Amino acid sequence: MLPVALALLHAALAAEPACLSEYGQTACGYQCTAQYGQLRCARTPFGACRAEYGQVVCWDPPRWVVHQRGGELPQASCLASYGRIACGYGCLAAYGQIRCAQTPEGICRAESGKVSCFDGVREPTWGDRIWRHRQHP
């Protein structure tokens, strides 16, 4: 049995972009979705698309998250509620709001009439990159 990380990397690499033609348009990417006269695709195999409420929404994790996690990055998902669509990780709908975290480590909570998400990690800064290079040349 392959280690989990190797299996996830293989799945990410095995996913191939596709092109879809609908409504006189052509779009290429991942998870391509066509509805309501709209055509959209995610840019990465980790992205997600959803059609609901007369709209098509696609979302991809930030590039720094893809770079940090590589093949271990799980595919995002989209949630539709309250007439809106949100995509990302750990999506939550409550109190007429819908939110998603931007990273797999993120969490979303509904408290005191409000939905908020916290990712707990940040995009590396230029200083982080220099420090890392000095530590690991």
Side-chain angles (χ1 to χ4, degrees), residues 41-106:
C41 299
R43 293 182 322 262
T44 69
F46 309 109
C49 294
R50 176 123 182 211
E52 208 73 46
Y53 310 118
Q55 58 184 326
V56 179
V57 174
C58 291
W59 180 88
D60 286 281
R63 285 180 15 191
W64 67 270
V65 173
V66 174
H67 178 72
Q68 277 186 344
R69 298 286 302 264
E72 295 178 14
L73 185 63
Q75 185 171 351
S77 64
C78 296
L79 180 64
S81 190
Y82 307 113
R84 291 181 302 228
I85 302 171
C87 301
Y89 297 98
C91 299
L92 181 64
Y95 309 119
Q97 304 167 34
I98 182 168
R99 304 262 192 282
C100 299
Q102 300 295 295
T103 66
E105 291 82 14

Side-chain angles (χ1 to χ4, degrees), residues 94-97 110-115:
Y95 309 119
Q97 304 167 34
E111 293 181 39
S112 304
K114 185 176 167 185
V115 176

Side-chain angles (χ1 to χ4, degrees), residues 123-136:
E123 179 176 0
T125 64
W126 180 251
D128 292 337
R129 291 182 189 113
I130 292 171
W131 181 85
R132 217 174 298 132
H133 177 69
R134 288 182 182 158
Q135 297 296 317
H136 307 285

